Amino acid sequence: MPASQYTVSDVMTQTAVAIGREASYKEFVELMHQWKVSALPVLEGEGRVVGVVSEADLLPKEEFRQDDPRLPEQMEEASKAGAVLAEELMSSPAVTVHPDATIAEAARIMARKGVKRLPVVNAIGLLEGVVSRSDLLKVFLRPDEEIEDEVRNAVLAELAPPVGIDCTVDEGVVTLRGDLRDRALAPLIARAVRAVEGVVDVRMELAGPVGTAA
């Protein structure tokens, strides 16, 4: 399907804040506060990502300040309570994404791994940027006119030419009205429209015969 596929490189923050292995606890707390981020990549050498320090890695110092761990699963977290350097606190290997990954792929990685930010690395693991959940939502800022143009030219032009299908877009919601040469095409069209970046929902008001498509 010729519909656009936005990639991570289209929405990522290229000026990424990062730290080295020897960065101190207070240093990366200050950086997180200064830059309003929830995690920082840890770099070594020429910029290779070797781990990530997140807010979750920092909390055990406060959580276990007075109380000892009571459950076996708390032992790993408690071990970070005495850590003072990034290399002692970081989660490694880092969960990363490549710049040519699609927005959907990055979203799946974040959901599966339970992270809010992903370092963006090239083929040899060097940091190129950072993508956050809010970055992935940027596709929903596309103007309705731009979405409508893509639906008409990249979806309907291929799947339903030209049967008088009317397409309107309001707040990212695409509504299709008209007659199809074969109603069996409706699910295929709906999937293709949903694949267009920035589409919030698809409403189908289509009629036509069944089983007549060539």
Side-chain angles (χ1 to χ4, degrees):
M1 192 57 51
S4 68
Q5 285 287 310
Y6 276 45
T7 65
V8 167
S9 63
D10 294 319
V11 298
M12 71 181 187
T13 301
Q14 293 183 335
T15 305
V17 184
I19 54 177
R21 282 181 174 271
E22 300 301 314
S24 69
Y25 187 100
K26 189 170 182 178
E27 182 179 351
F28 39 74
V29 170
E30 290 174 344
L31 282 172
M32 286 181 181
H33 177 73
Q34 177 184 350
W35 293 94
K36 303 295 189 293
V37 296
S38 59
L40 293 171
V42 181
L43 309 182
E44 71 175 9
E46 297 180 353
R48 186 168 62 88
V49 178
V50 293
V52 171
V53 173
S54 70
E55 291 171 334
D57 296 315
L58 303 179
L59 286 176
K61 187 172 289 295
E62 183 63 29
E63 181 181 358
F64 298 106
R65 182 180 298 277
Q66 295 178 329
D67 298 328
D68 293 328
R70 298 178 180 179
L71 301 174
E73 55 266 28
Q74 292 180 318
M75 294 300 296
E76 182 178 354
E77 290 186 8
S79 67
K80 293 187 177 183
V84 294
L85 299 178
E87 63 182 359
E88 300 168 331
L89 280 159
M90 68 183 185
S91 299
S92 182
V95 180
T96 62
V97 68
H98 292 295
D100 58 355
T102 65
I103 300 297
E105 289 169 339
R108 281 194 292 270
I109 293 172
M110 286 186 183
R112 189 170 64 248
K113 299 296 185 178
V115 297
K116 300 177 182 179
R117 294 167 60 84
L118 292 171
V120 183
V121 301
N122 62 18
I124 58 175
L126 300 182
L127 184 67
E128 292 196 353
V130 172
V131 65
S132 67
R133 290 176 178 177
S134 60
D135 291 328
L136 300 186
L137 294 175
K138 288 177 182 177
V139 295
F140 293 105
L141 298 177
R142 294 185 74 189
D144 288 340
E145 295 78 8
E146 186 176 312
I147 295 173
E148 180 180 334
D149 183 65
E150 184 169 343
V151 170
R152 290 183 183 277
N153 296 321
V155 178
L156 298 181
E158 178 173 327
L159 296 179
V163 195
I165 302 298
D166 180 56
C167 172
T168 59
V169 183
D170 183 29
E171 297 295 321
V173 177
V174 178
T175 301
L176 300 178
R177 300 181 179 89
D179 294 325
L180 290 171
R181 65 177 185 270
D182 186 346
R183 274 185 292 170
L185 291 172
L188 180 62
I189 293 173
R191 285 195 298 271
V193 173
R194 286 192 176 93
V196 173
E197 303 291 1
V199 170
V200 174
D201 195 11
V202 182
R203 297 173 182 173
M204 308 285 281
E205 300 176 13
L206 300 173
V210 177
T212 60

